[in-house]
Amino acid sequence: MKSLSLLFLLLLAGQAFAHKPSDSYLVINSNAGNALIEGRWDIALRDLQLVLPLDQNGDGTITWGELRRQQRNLDATVLPTLTIEALHGEQRHACALNLTRLQAIDHVDGTYAALHWRGDCQGPPEQLAVGYQFLFDRDPSHHGLLRLEQGDTTLTAVFSNQHRNQLMSTDAGAQWQAFQGFIRQGVHHILIGYDHILFLLTLLFPAVLLWQRGGWQPAPTITGALTQTLAIVTAFTVTHSLTLALATLGIITLPTWLVESAIAITVALGAAANLVPQLFPKRWVMAFVFGLIHGLGFASVLADLGLTDSGIFLPLLGFNLGVELGQVAIVLLFVPAAYLVRETVAYRRVFVPVGSVAIIILAGVWLAERLSGA
Amino acid sequence: MTMYWQRRNETSLHYRDAVVEAFHPHVSESFSGTDKGAKIWRLLSVAVTLFLFCMAALASAAPYTPGGDHVVLARLPQVPATLQAPSPPSDLSAALALARSQIDYASAQGDPRFLGYAEATLAPFSQDMSSPAANLLMARIEQQRHQFARARHRLTRLLEQSPNQGQAWLMLANIDRVQGRLDEARQACQAASRTLPPTTVLLCQASVQAITGQREQAYRTLQALASSPAAPQGKSAQWLNTLSAEIALQQGRLELATEHLRDALQQAPDDPYLRYLQSDLWLASNQAQAVIRDLTNWQDREGALLRLAIAGQRLEHPQAQAWRQDYRAHMAADQDTGRQRHLREHARFLLEVESDPQGALTLARENWQQQRELADLRLLHASAMAADDQATLSQLQAFVDRYQVDDAQLTQPAKGASE
């Protein structure tokens, strides 16, 4: 008997829901550039029965049939307590909302009606003005918890008796998304643009070394190696960011073949500098000067992404940030490894000179290709 | 060794003299989770619980179409229809009566929706101070929602206009005491003496004295009052017994506390504050089984769920995991609703059920900004000890020194052996 009652209790526990203040859950899905929005509104049956005669047979329970029979009332009297307006520039359009499907859903304190709805906003919204009037006259402590989902981004807001209107900027979400997209583009570009990587690496090859007595010697301290690396990376960053901005804003325009060929030359020169370092004593100066050319190369990618003049700042910033992130990743991978093997003959006598020669040859091939392709 | 004060706490219902009306008799069912002969059933039921929980978790994740029109989606609470009237009375005295029953129902059932309905009932009369009674009820609603600042502001405004509202002084004293402004609380009790009967004022003063270095004196006053010809009746008697139980607990005399609590429960067997206090006493004296017996029928109340989760964990009860998950779900649903959270209870859950002292400390510290009753002090102390946070401990010491708080639970280890 005891065991039976235990199982019975367990079954009951599955349905026992604790009291909670009255909240509804509203989700709005909006897609950038789309005039149609859709969503779901979960309302507790306990709240719904305050405004609709749900328990028709008065037996103290609400069945699915009783809820279903109220579908027309839900559409006609409950859904209109939710208003959504699409804002686009100076224009303001009311989105017509329709109940598309009724379901049930369990939340922590019991079963809710799940109202699926769709809205036509006539044009893609930049902002949504959402008004919420449900139940406040009956229960002023009622809250509506709003979640606006747009792509990867989610914005939330809470409606209460005092705050019945919320202005949700769908645009901000889209911009942030776009910004992240440009960061990814930046990272992508430096990682697949091996001419930039090679240039950076050729400059960094000897960062862990010192040129003394006609040959490469290991740098005695890590401080020296880090100082060199930092100087090179900073100089390269400053100048390529500068020309990237200037080219993107249309202040400098050079033909692509010229820029690409010049980049090939910088790679060859950077590698040559490893073979005859006495001719190029300050490597950061080289990074600084040649960074100007590489920035122009980055800009051509950004131009290919089809940006308009308005709102160029955020894409530019995002892209540049992405390039720097990629660059930092390369440095973090290469420099510690190089530092560890800097004392080996293989690194100083084989890797640096042979690698540099190989890079010169490769850069020569690129140069030929790029000049002939023009 | 577990400190005694780590094991107990009180509910957040502060309004001691709320009218208690039991709409539903709560039958305590005898049920043993540690029955030795039922080991297999226990294992099976754990499996069933986990299965049910998984089903529930899946169900809550997505909307579904029920299998047929006959499927029951909800059982409505059996509430007198008048408490959910579609349009509130336009007559002041009818509105006051309705709001009072709605608030009483909310506290007795632990159902906050009825506080909202009461607010709607009072709305036409609580916009200005022309009806002190409506504003007193509004303040009571705000206090129950832990909107202390709002309630306090309302009461102060009311008292500026009508300084002879003894009830308002009493409520102000209570809020000040709950929030740890103990000098102000004492003054408010004093101010109440101009209009309220001396017994009420004595109870008010004793509640403050007990935590400001005059514990023994407060206890003697209460006992003298109880045996005098002027012994309070009804709600005041209940208040007296509750206070006596709390002071006995503060003195570390668990059995005496149990006796006083028994007296209080005789007057109000279904008062949530008293029932939870009782459960906390049981938890403190290693009688977790009694907690489960007493509160199993109250699982729809968050305060009961918390204590069930604690007791269930200690006994490795088959339901323990389900209670824990239910409480977690409540905590999660409480986030981001823009409402005052039940920080004291949440912190206690993290400390005693989730074994997360750092999380508990964070919530207990936040709670301390709102509530500074002994229960809050003990909880913050226990969390800070568990998380080894010396800065918080010395902050607490400053509070204890300032008001000469004397509490056996802060200084003595548990009376009972650990389980």
Side-chain angles (χ1 to χ4, degrees):
Chain A
M1 260 333 277
K2 200 163 260 175
S3 319
L4 268 181
S5 71
L6 188 142
L7 273 178
F8 180 59
L9 272 174
L10 284 172
L11 285 169
L12 272 186
Q15 299 192 333
F17 293 104
H19 298 316
K20 205 177 127 307
S22 161
D23 295 321
S24 84
Y25 303 89
L26 174 65
V27 180
I28 300 176
N29 287 296
S30 153
N31 291 307
N34 197 332
L36 289 178
I37 54 173
E38 55 182 19
R40 201 183 79 216
W41 188 11
D42 298 349
I43 305 175
L45 292 176
R46 276 194 65 184
D47 291 334
L48 218 44
Q49 59 96 24
L50 289 179
V51 294
L52 291 179
L54 274 179
D55 185 15
Q56 287 275 349
N57 61 5
D59 66 351
T61 65
I62 296 170
T63 61
W64 170 236
E66 283 172 325
L67 175 61
R68 228 168 35 82
R69 281 191 283 279
Q70 294 296 325
Q71 181 150 357
R72 188 173 297 169
N73 275 335
L74 286 169
D75 203 6
T77 64
V78 174
L79 200 54
T81 60
L82 176 68
T83 52
I84 301 181
E85 283 180 302
L87 275 63
H88 190 99
E90 296 293 299
Q91 291 175 316
R92 208 178 166 104
H93 292 294
C95 308
L97 304 185
N98 284 303
L99 187 65
T100 52
R101 190 178 180 203
L102 179 63
Q103 283 189 302
I105 184 166
D106 292 334
H107 284 277
V108 64
D109 62 333
T111 305
Y112 286 49
L115 282 63
H116 298 264
W117 53 264
R118 188 169 296 144
D120 184 355
C121 302
Q122 295 166 45
E126 279 171 357
Q127 288 179 305
L128 290 176
V130 188
Y132 185 101
Q133 306 289 336
F134 181 66
L135 210 67
F136 292 133
D137 55 335
R138 298 299 301 276
D139 181 354
S141 66
H142 173 75
H143 283 190
L145 311 184
L146 167 64
R147 210 170 74 229
L148 175 67
E149 291 178 347
Q150 190 176 41
D152 295 340
T153 53
T154 301
L155 300 171
T156 60
V158 178
F159 296 104
S160 65
N161 192 23
Q162 285 78 32
H163 297 99
R164 299 185 179 199
N165 296 292
Q166 298 282 353
L167 193 61
M168 309 294 284
S169 183
T170 56
D171 212 27
Q175 273 188 6
W176 169 236
Q177 243 180 310
F179 187 65
Q180 287 174 312
F182 284 113
I183 293 182
R184 276 196 293 273
Q185 284 289 345
V187 174
H188 180 71
H189 184 69
I190 186 139
L191 293 186
I192 61 137
Y194 24 80
D195 43 2
H196 306 300
I197 297 183
L198 273 186
F199 177 71
L200 197 60
L201 287 182
T202 52
L203 290 188
L204 290 175
F205 277 176
V208 294
L209 305 173
L210 273 180
W211 182 262
Q212 276 171 348
R213 297 183 301 277
W216 287 113
Q217 309 300 328
T221 62
I222 194 156
T223 325
L226 286 180
T227 314
Q228 278 228 51
T229 307
L230 198 67
I232 292 168
V233 170
T234 309
F236 186 57
T237 303
V238 166
T239 46
H240 77 223
S241 298
L242 179 74
T243 46
L244 169 62
L246 291 177
T248 310
L249 296 173
I251 297 170
I252 304 178
T253 40
L254 287 175
T256 308
W257 67 268
L258 185 59
V259 173
E260 294 297 313
S261 306
I263 286 176
I265 294 174
T266 65
V267 174
L269 284 175
N274 290 342
L275 301 175
V276 281
Q278 54 275 51
L279 298 181
F280 304 93
K282 289 208 160 38
R283 314 186 68 78
W284 69 265
V285 175
M286 194 170 205
F288 189 86
V289 176
F290 290 173
L292 293 168
I293 299 170
H294 281 259
L296 297 176
F298 295 141
S300 67
V301 178
L302 205 50
D304 290 345
L305 296 176
L307 290 169
T308 51
D309 288 346
S310 64
I312 193 100
F313 179 73
L314 280 179
L316 183 60
L317 186 68
F319 185 80
N320 206 340
L321 219 57
V323 168
E324 307 324 333
L325 284 175
Q327 183 175 302
V328 166
I330 292 165
V331 171
L332 285 180
L333 279 177
F334 177 76
V335 175
Y339 186 76
L340 287 179
V341 298
R342 74 193 190 286
E343 291 187 3
T344 60
V345 177
Y347 184 74
R348 289 181 287 138
R349 301 273 161 79
V350 183
F351 183 81
V352 172
V354 173
S356 298
V357 170
I359 289 173
I360 293 174
I361 296 171
L362 187 64
V365 174
W366 285 342
L367 183 61
E369 277 177 2
R370 291 172 185 182
L371 284 174
S372 65
Chain B
M1 168 95 71
T2 312
M3 299 290 275
Y4 173 66
W5 34 260
Q6 281 182 318
R7 302 253 197 85
R8 65 165 298 283
N9 205 321
E10 294 153 4
T11 171
S12 45
L13 247 152
H14 301 295
Y15 199 73
R16 303 294 172 79
D17 50 352
V19 180
V20 176
E21 281 193 51
F23 283 90
H24 305 293
H26 293 271
V27 186
S28 288
E29 189 175 326
S30 159
F31 161 68
S32 167
T34 52
D35 189 0
K36 282 178 190 126
K39 205 159 190 177
I40 295 175
W41 275 112
R42 223 172 109 173
L43 279 173
L44 184 62
S45 53
V46 170
V48 171
T49 314
L50 284 175
F51 172 74
L52 283 177
F53 178 72
C54 292
M55 295 291 287
L58 281 176
S60 65
Y64 56 91
T65 307
D69 280 358
H70 60 280
V71 175
V72 173
L73 300 181
R75 285 175 209 288
L76 298 172
Q78 297 188 348
V79 188
T82 47
L83 291 189
Q84 297 186 20
S87 49
S90 50
D91 165 53
L92 174 63
S93 65
L96 290 177
L98 175 59
R100 203 170 284 126
S101 339
Q102 286 166 327
I103 297 170
D104 291 341
Y105 185 85
S107 3
Q109 299 294 315
D111 189 343
R113 274 185 169 85
F114 285 84
L115 293 178
Y117 305 157
E119 188 183 347
T121 308
L122 293 171
F125 310 104
S126 55
Q127 303 305 321
D128 57 34
M129 289 292 144
S130 60
S131 167
N135 280 288
L136 278 173
L137 286 175
M138 263 315 291
R140 210 178 130 189
I141 294 172
E142 287 158 352
Q143 189 185 336
Q144 293 214 353
R145 288 183 183 148
H146 289 201
Q147 298 169 328
F148 297 121
R150 221 183 266 191
R152 200 166 186 276
H153 178 69
R154 189 183 293 276
L155 292 169
T156 328
R157 264 176 59 209
L158 176 61
L159 285 166
E160 275 165 17
Q161 274 190 22
S162 353
N164 285 333
Q165 284 288 339
Q167 192 66 25
W169 283 116
L170 206 56
M171 289 179 69
L172 196 61
N174 196 35
I175 293 176
D176 281 334
R177 184 186 58 76
V178 165
Q179 297 206 289
R181 286 182 297 266
L182 301 175
D183 296 328
E184 289 88 333
R186 199 180 294 119
Q187 287 159 16
C189 291
Q190 192 58 43
S193 68
R194 286 195 295 262
T195 40
L196 289 182
T199 4
T200 312
V201 178
L202 271 180
L203 288 171
C204 184
Q205 293 288 17
S207 69
V208 183
Q209 284 170 348
I211 41 176
T212 49
Q214 295 165 287
R215 190 176 76 185
E216 315 306 329
Q217 190 194 325
Y219 187 77
R220 280 196 300 274
T221 309
L222 291 178
Q223 300 324 304
L225 185 61
S227 52
S228 77
Q233 302 293 316
K235 283 182 290 171
S236 296
Q238 188 190 325
W239 189 12
L240 188 151
N241 286 320
T242 312
L243 263 178
S244 303
E246 286 176 327
I247 298 178
L249 186 61
Q250 201 184 332
Q251 293 167 329
R253 299 158 75 187
L254 291 197
E255 280 167 24
L256 185 63
T258 308
E259 270 174 48
H260 286 302
L261 191 56
R262 199 178 301 135
D263 290 343
L265 275 163
Q266 249 170 17
Q267 293 160 310
D270 284 327
D271 183 292
Y273 186 91
L274 294 176
R275 290 280 285 272
Y276 296 155
L277 185 56
Q278 167 95 78
S279 277
D280 291 336
L281 265 171
W282 279 327
L283 287 174
S285 47
N286 299 332
Q287 302 178 61
Q289 196 62 57
V291 175
I292 293 180
R293 239 187 341 262
D294 194 49
L295 295 182
T296 299
N297 289 343
W298 273 23
Q299 286 181 45
D300 56 351
R301 302 162 187 234
E302 230 180 273
L305 201 53
L306 168 66
R307 285 153 182 95
L308 284 170
I310 296 172
Q313 169 137 323
R314 290 207 201 153
L315 294 174
E316 297 177 23
H317 191 274
Q319 277 276 84
Q321 199 55 23
W323 287 324
R324 180 186 192 165
Q325 297 291 1
D326 271 1
Y327 198 84
R328 274 187 195 159
H330 267 269
M331 273 183 74
D334 232 23
Q335 299 267 1
D336 308 320
T337 58
R339 287 199 174 87
Q340 207 51 256
R341 298 161 66 199
H342 297 153
L343 293 168
R344 182 198 285 177
E345 286 73 17
H346 293 181
R348 187 176 169 192
F349 180 74
L350 291 185
L351 185 67
E352 297 195 38
V353 182
E354 303 280 40
S355 309
D356 174 10
Q358 207 58 51
L361 180 62
T362 308
L363 294 190
R365 284 179 65 95
E366 204 181 319
N367 176 55
W368 185 247
Q369 301 309 315
Q370 279 286 323
Q371 297 194 85
R372 298 186 169 187
E373 287 191 271
L374 268 185
D376 305 295
L377 182 69
R378 289 166 187 156
L379 181 67
L380 184 53
H381 188 265
S383 308
M385 292 282 280
D388 194 21
D389 185 323
Q390 296 302 322
T392 302
L393 287 174
S394 58
Q395 252 181 342
L396 282 182
Q397 195 56 48
F399 182 83
V400 167
D401 291 345
R402 173 170 174 197
Y403 291 112
Q404 299 171 295
V405 180
D406 190 3
D407 181 25
Q409 317 315 331
L410 285 179
T411 48
Q412 286 173 12
K415 280 274 159 70
S418 50
E419 273 165 84

